[in-house]
Amino acid sequence: MIYRKVLGVLAILAILLTLLPILAIDYWWIRVFDFPHFQLTIFTLAIAVIYAIRLSKATRADVVITIGLIACLAYQAYKIYPYTPIAPHEILANDLVDSSRTLSMFTSNVLQENTSSHLLLAEVRTYDPDIVLLTETDERWRSEVALRLDLVYAHKVEHPLDNTYGMLLYSKFPLLDQQVKFLVDDSIPSIHTLIVLPSSDTVQLYAIHPTPPTPQHNPSSTDRDAELMKIALQSLDHQFPVIVAGDFNDVAWSRSTKLFQSISGLLDIRKGRGFYNTYNANNIILRWPLDHIFVSRHFRVMTAERGCDINSDHFPLYVHLSLESDGAWQHRHISPTDEQLRTAHEQIRSERKHD
């Protein structure tokens, strides 16, 4: 009897945790359940299997709960499927190999308190990317990596901070119109710059690191979502190909990131290739994708990889892109709906009220 009650409680918990993130409420204690979606899917599957095996005499309540578990599994599988290797690529593989029109990027949340900068620099040497974006960087991090990176990367934008939101950008290619902006909070920077490829093509880069919805950072996701929406609107119909990269403090399948993608029209390098879980590097069970690289339809993916452990709580993320604007039409392009645009503007206004 006790076993049946415990199993019933776990089943109802699995159903509730599946339903909670669907609510359009930005409180941290709801939005935090966006993150462990894969783990919740495994938990729900395990409960459903045990339910089917152990409950030989099912009551009406058991039948209802079983149907609820199956519905939750179907919903969870629907959300997970696009990030599995069996799904079609959202960004196609490259057709052309023109080194003057390729761009490789390495992004990493280094963990401000991390003192193993040599591990980060070793990863940079291994990948030899054209662009390096580092977040959670203070003045100590800037001084330690600049000694090595300045020898290879002639162009940079540095904005170190001691509040875990410092940002460093290094580039082999020229940078134009370099700006450090504070879109939501005067202590949370983002880097906006144009990158000029060897082919003379120009690419717009937005590097971001919004605050997470956690009690110690921000009790709601309002500020994070507002920053994502501002970047999405700037990316929409931009005159140049666009890359948005950084630690989003959000997972790819959340309501916020999906709206960001719908508004911006940008594509996810992960879809059809894998989860590339970058956080938490210290916990193999609780891992999900927090660091992202989204690109416009002008790009193709040559290589995408998750980097090695650098003693941070995040793994680095690397992508090698090919700029193939003539083939942009082969990628999907769905304009945002009026309702989606209204929601984006409402989230931005909510941030202003929040301030």
Side-chain angles (χ1 to χ4, degrees):
M1 187 65 177
I2 295 177
Y3 175 84
R4 178 183 287 272
K5 288 182 177 179
V6 170
L7 190 56
V9 169
L10 292 176
I12 292 172
L13 179 64
I15 293 170
L16 289 177
L17 294 182
T18 301
L19 296 177
L20 269 178
I22 298 176
L23 300 176
I25 299 174
D26 63 2
Y27 297 136
W28 73 267
W29 54 272
I30 290 180
R31 295 277 58 89
V32 72
F33 291 110
D34 286 324
F35 294 75
H37 186 73
F38 180 76
Q39 291 81 358
L40 179 58
T41 302
I42 299 301
F43 175 67
T44 306
L45 177 61
I47 296 299
V49 170
I50 296 173
Y51 228 89
I53 293 174
R54 294 300 183 93
L55 298 183
S56 55
K57 294 182 179 180
T59 65
R60 181 175 298 180
D62 294 334
V63 173
V64 172
I65 290 175
T66 301
I67 292 173
L69 288 171
I70 293 172
C72 286
L73 278 173
Y75 172 72
Q76 292 162 2
Y78 169 77
K79 292 187 70 173
I80 283 177
Y81 169 72
Y83 305 95
T84 62
I86 62 174
H89 290 168
E90 182 164 81
I91 307 173
L92 300 176
N94 63 297
D95 282 337
L96 306 176
V97 181
D98 180 352
S99 60
S100 70
R101 304 190 78 216
T102 65
L103 180 151
S104 56
M105 184 171 191
F106 176 97
T107 180
S108 179
N109 180 319
V110 300
L111 184 62
Q112 184 173 295
E113 64 191 47
N114 179 11
T115 58
S116 303
S117 59
H118 62 286
L119 296 178
L120 179 280
L121 291 169
E123 280 290 272
V124 172
R125 285 195 300 272
T126 297
Y127 284 107
D128 191 26
D130 301 314
I131 306 291
V132 176
L133 171 63
L134 306 178
T135 57
E136 263 200 49
T137 44
D138 56 8
E139 179 57 35
R140 175 186 63 82
W141 265 100
R142 188 207 65 78
S143 63
E144 290 182 8
V145 301
L147 289 173
R148 299 293 183 88
L149 297 185
D150 282 353
L151 300 175
V152 179
Y153 298 90
H155 312 277
K156 60 186 179 181
V157 181
E158 298 176 314
H159 196 83
L161 291 170
D162 61 5
N163 65 353
T164 71
Y165 289 97
M167 191 173 289
L168 307 175
L169 178 70
Y170 299 93
S171 174
K172 293 180 181 179
F173 304 145
L175 302 176
L176 301 178
D177 192 23
Q178 307 167 33
Q179 300 178 68
V180 176
K181 295 188 176 183
F182 300 84
L183 298 178
V184 172
D185 186 299
D186 60 9
S187 64
I188 310 296
S190 58
I191 295 176
H192 304 213
T193 185
L194 296 173
I195 304 171
V196 182
L197 303 186
S199 62
S200 296
D201 291 292
T202 302
V203 174
Q204 174 69 57
L205 172 66
Y206 298 112
I208 64 174
H209 183 199
T211 58
T214 56
Q216 65 267 34
H217 290 88
N218 201 321
S220 77
S221 64
T222 303
D223 286 355
R224 180 199 67 187
D225 298 346
E227 183 165 347
L228 289 178
M229 292 310 105
K230 288 182 178 182
I231 292 294
L233 289 169
Q234 291 184 44
S235 301
L236 179 63
D237 296 327
H238 200 285
Q239 62 174 315
F240 297 119
V242 174
I243 299 174
V244 179
D247 176 0
F248 279 38
N249 275 314
D250 198 12
V251 285
W253 48 76
S254 76
R255 177 189 297 269
S256 301
T257 299
K258 288 173 75 67
L259 181 60
F260 162 82
Q261 198 174 358
S262 296
I263 297 293
S264 66
L266 301 180
L267 308 177
D268 190 344
I269 67 167
R270 283 183 167 91
K271 288 185 177 178
R273 292 184 167 86
F275 287 95
Y276 300 103
N277 293 324
T278 55
Y279 180 91
N280 186 329
N282 300 320
N283 192 322
I284 195 171
I285 296 175
L286 297 179
R287 282 185 183 170
W288 38 74
L290 285 192
D291 303 88
H292 302 277
I293 299 175
F294 287 90
V295 303
S296 58
R297 298 180 300 131
H298 310 85
F299 290 98
R300 302 290 183 93
V301 171
M302 302 175 70
T303 306
E305 296 181 15
R306 188 185 73 181
C308 295
D309 188 357
I310 60 166
N311 209 28
S312 169
D313 53 350
H314 289 244
F315 291 105
L317 185 62
Y318 170 84
V319 70
H320 196 177
L321 301 166
S322 173
L323 181 62
E324 301 181 24
S325 300
D326 291 343
W329 62 272
Q330 294 180 320
H331 287 122
R332 69 161 181 83
H333 178 63
I334 302 175
S335 298
T337 65
D338 291 341
E339 180 61 30
Q340 289 170 334
L341 289 170
R342 277 195 297 271
T343 300
H345 287 292
E346 286 172 2
Q347 290 186 355
I348 292 172
R349 286 194 294 271
S350 295
E351 167 264 321
R352 289 171 180 162
K353 292 176 183 176
H354 175 71
D355 288 343

